[in-house]
Amino acid sequence: MEDELEDRVLHQTYLSFMKIFSRFSSSVAFDTPVSYLWKMVRLYLLRSEFVVFTLGIIIFFMYLQTIELWSRTLLSRLSQAMSPLSAVQRMKLMEGSDSDKQSWELKGSVSAAYAIKGRRMHMEDKFIINENINNTGISLFAIFDGHGGEFAANYAKEHLIQNLYNKVVELNAFKDGKVITPSPLNSPEEPKIEQDSNVERKTSFKKSISAADDTSRKEITDPELLAQLSKARPITREVRASPKPIKHFVVPLASYLEKGKINFGKLLTDEVLAADRLLVEAAKRSFNVAGTTALIAVLEDNQLIVANVGDSRGVMCDSKGNAIPVSFDHKPQQVREQKRIEAAGGYIAFNGVWRVAGILATSRAMGDYPLKDKKFVIADPDILTFNLDDHKPMFLVLASDGLWDTFTNEEAIKFIKERIDEPDFGAKSLTLQAYYRGSVDNITVLIINFLQNKISTSNIS
């Protein structure tokens, strides 16, 4: 009874106080600015609708800050987007330093590529055009679509392409009974020699530390223990170097030749897997979980060989204007890929799209060492070979999934067919059209025009 009485007293006191406060506030005359301001605050700003709306705005801007969309350039980019300028002009205006660069382009004699950062914060796509390697008549084209950072895509572009370039030069010399040391592949990116020298310096540093540790060890004096150990091997102070990771499997050049022709299927498979092993080792040392797709096309005479890892895609337009896929995406929901992932103890989950372990939207990739160690993701490429005399193609489209998110194979072929006479064979137009259609990814398009007479002797990379 006493508790109930106290509650009633407190409740009545509270009600009395609020009534007095309300009468006081409502009875204040509007003869001063302060009283008028208080009246407006009480009537409008303290309304429940306004409070909820204000909290919603605050939470929204906190969310933008969290996902890094609210930056120093967001307002300027929004104002530029609302201006009556074209997409190309807007991107040029936004370009400042190299990190702010929005587009990349490259033109060969029969090929052209155009790439844009698009709506992503960072550019993780890389591409290669190398026509007529070292005057061998062999051309190499590639697209790498990175994810989780650009480390893996850069590594593949620098190391995998360089190794392929070297092997093509060596194999052509080997066929003719010559020995040629391939020249370094010209690349606008950072030199690879410095990175290799850094690795050697790190290894030598580890070796010196292990030597110091060996010399500081105490000698064994127990005669029984010495007798047991001497049976296995003599005890010495020999300094044993720490084991180095295997950089490359030595494969005889002759194994890549069949009837005087280079077996590009075997060559591409071996080089992709070897580069992936080195990439995983380098990524583990720096705790970098980045990965990349790899779409590589090799042209020699009338042969087209395509190696694919991931979900970048190539489509060829034949003489009748039909879309002929030259690669097939590696997606987790495919029956073959799902069975392989589950056999390795993994699973796929839907998170916007089907993903390996709910993380990666492609079931094959270079890098991605946390998933690679568990065998959930592999780097084994699919190899497809085409005889161009059978299809008599007009052109070939190689592109990252930023294009294929908004274009079907048939739509892309029709679009380029109408613009093949443009200076870049329609690569720029197709890239920007994918951007207009709402692609939120980096977009890279590479066009190879078979209607041109021949590939020049210049190397482009």
Side-chain angles (χ1 to χ4, degrees):
M1 292 296 292
E2 294 180 358
D3 293 339
E4 292 180 0
L5 182 60
E6 289 179 359
D7 291 341
R8 289 180 181 179
V9 171
L10 289 175
H11 181 66
Q12 291 297 329
T13 304
Y14 172 75
L15 290 178
S16 301
F17 173 79
M18 293 303 298
K19 287 179 180 180
I20 294 173
F21 181 77
S22 177
R23 289 178 181 178
F24 171 78
S25 60
S26 60
S27 63
V28 176
F30 291 97
D31 54 353
T32 64
V34 176
S35 62
Y36 180 78
L37 179 62
W38 166 246
K39 188 72 173 180
M40 292 299 101
V41 169
R42 191 172 64 86
L43 291 178
Y44 298 104
L45 298 186
L46 295 182
R47 292 172 66 97
S48 59
E49 302 92 321
F50 184 82
V51 173
V52 171
F53 178 77
T54 304
L55 289 176
I57 292 294
I58 295 174
I59 293 173
F60 176 71
F61 279 105
M62 291 176 63
Y63 173 74
L64 289 180
Q65 182 68 32
T66 302
I67 61 176
E68 297 182 353
L69 287 178
W70 186 261
S71 65
R72 60 182 178 84
T73 59
L74 180 60
L75 291 178
S76 62
R77 292 183 180 182
L78 287 176
S79 63
Q80 293 293 343
M82 298 176 65
S83 65
L85 299 176
S86 66
V88 178
Q89 291 173 321
R90 288 200 299 269
M91 286 189 287
K92 287 184 178 179
L93 287 173
M94 289 187 287
E95 288 181 8
S97 61
D98 291 340
S99 61
D100 294 328
K101 191 172 182 180
Q102 300 294 316
S103 64
W104 294 258
E105 56 186 329
L106 191 60
K107 177 71 168 64
S109 59
V110 300
S111 60
Y114 193 82
I116 62 173
K117 186 190 299 184
R119 294 175 173 86
R120 287 291 179 91
M121 297 296 293
H122 305 285
M123 181 59 170
E124 297 173 339
D125 283 6
K126 305 296 176 183
F127 63 86
I128 287 288
I129 293 179
N130 198 320
E131 297 179 352
N132 194 21
I133 297 175
N134 206 35
N135 296 323
T136 59
I138 300 172
S139 298
L140 177 65
F141 310 91
I143 287 180
F144 302 103
D145 182 1
H147 48 263
E150 59 184 34
F151 173 77
N154 278 332
Y155 191 98
K157 178 180 178 180
E158 296 171 2
H159 295 266
L160 173 57
I161 297 301
Q162 181 68 63
N163 292 338
L164 287 171
Y165 177 93
N166 293 344
K167 280 293 176 62
V168 168
V169 174
E170 292 172 359
L171 285 168
N172 273 273
F174 185 78
K175 288 193 302 182
D176 299 333
K178 302 176 183 178
V179 178
I180 296 179
T181 301
S183 59
L185 180 64
N186 296 328
S187 175
E189 304 293 336
E190 301 83 18
K192 297 169 284 302
I193 299 176
E194 294 183 3
Q195 185 172 355
D196 293 337
S197 62
N198 290 336
V199 174
E200 293 298 329
R201 284 197 293 270
K202 290 179 181 178
T203 305
S204 62
F205 177 71
K206 290 180 180 179
K207 195 181 300 184
S208 64
I209 290 181
S210 65
D213 290 341
D214 284 346
T215 55
S216 63
R217 291 174 183 168
K218 295 181 179 180
E219 293 188 1
I220 300 174
T221 56
D222 187 356
E224 295 183 0
L225 183 57
L226 284 173
Q228 294 179 0
L229 293 174
S230 62
K231 295 179 182 178
R233 61 178 178 85
I235 298 176
T236 65
R237 288 190 177 274
E238 177 187 359
V239 178
R240 296 183 177 272
S242 57
K244 295 182 181 180
I246 299 175
K247 288 191 174 182
H248 210 359
F249 291 108
V250 178
V251 180
L253 291 177
S255 64
Y256 295 117
L257 297 177
E258 291 183 0
K259 299 179 181 180
K261 293 279 190 178
I262 300 177
N263 185 343
F264 282 103
K266 176 177 172 56
L267 177 62
L268 290 170
T269 299
D270 288 353
E271 291 300 327
V272 167
L273 293 177
D276 180 62
R277 285 192 293 268
L278 297 177
L279 170 57
V280 168
E281 290 181 3
K284 286 181 178 179
R285 289 195 294 269
S286 58
F287 300 101
N288 195 309
V289 298
T292 182
T293 69
L295 179 63
I296 306 171
V298 176
L299 276 174
E300 183 184 26
D301 299 330
N302 63 339
Q303 294 292 313
L304 169 66
I305 304 94
V306 179
N308 180 52
V309 179
D311 55 7
S312 295
R313 191 186 309 166
V315 182
M316 180 171 58
C317 177
D318 66 8
S319 58
K320 299 179 181 179
N322 298 320
I324 309 296
V326 299
S327 70
F328 296 94
D329 302 351
H330 293 132
K331 294 295 188 181
Q333 67 269 25
Q334 294 171 350
V335 175
R336 178 184 65 168
E337 295 298 293
Q338 184 175 356
K339 287 183 177 179
R340 178 187 59 77
I341 295 168
E342 292 175 350
Y347 65 95
I348 66 173
F350 191 83
N351 184 12
V353 294
W354 287 102
R355 299 176 183 272
V356 180
I359 301 172
L360 190 60
T362 179
S363 57
R364 299 194 190 189
M366 298 179 64
D368 292 294
Y369 81 84
L371 297 174
K372 188 69 60 64
D373 285 348
K374 297 179 180 297
K375 309 296 184 184
F376 296 170
V377 172
I378 61 176
D380 299 50
D382 283 341
I383 308 292
L384 294 179
T385 302
F386 300 85
N387 189 325
L388 300 184
D389 292 338
D390 296 337
H391 299 279
K392 296 181 175 57
M394 289 189 278
F395 56 86
L396 174 66
V397 180
L398 305 177
S400 61
D401 65 341
L403 172 70
W404 307 116
D405 288 342
T406 57
F407 272 85
T408 65
N409 295 353
E410 291 74 19
E411 288 174 338
I413 292 300
K414 181 181 178 182
F415 190 93
I416 292 297
K417 188 177 178 182
E418 297 171 352
R419 295 165 177 80
I420 194 66
D421 293 329
E422 294 180 0
D424 56 8
F425 313 126
K428 183 175 183 179
S429 298
L430 183 58
T431 302
L432 295 178
Q433 186 62 30
Y435 179 82
Y436 291 143
R437 291 190 178 187
S439 177
V440 297
D441 204 350
N442 303 145
I443 309 169
T444 300
V445 175
L446 195 158
I447 306 295
I448 304 170
N449 187 2
F450 294 111
L451 298 178
Q452 298 287 329
N453 291 328
K454 63 178 181 178
I455 294 178
S456 69
T457 58
S458 62
N459 290 338
I460 303 173
S461 61

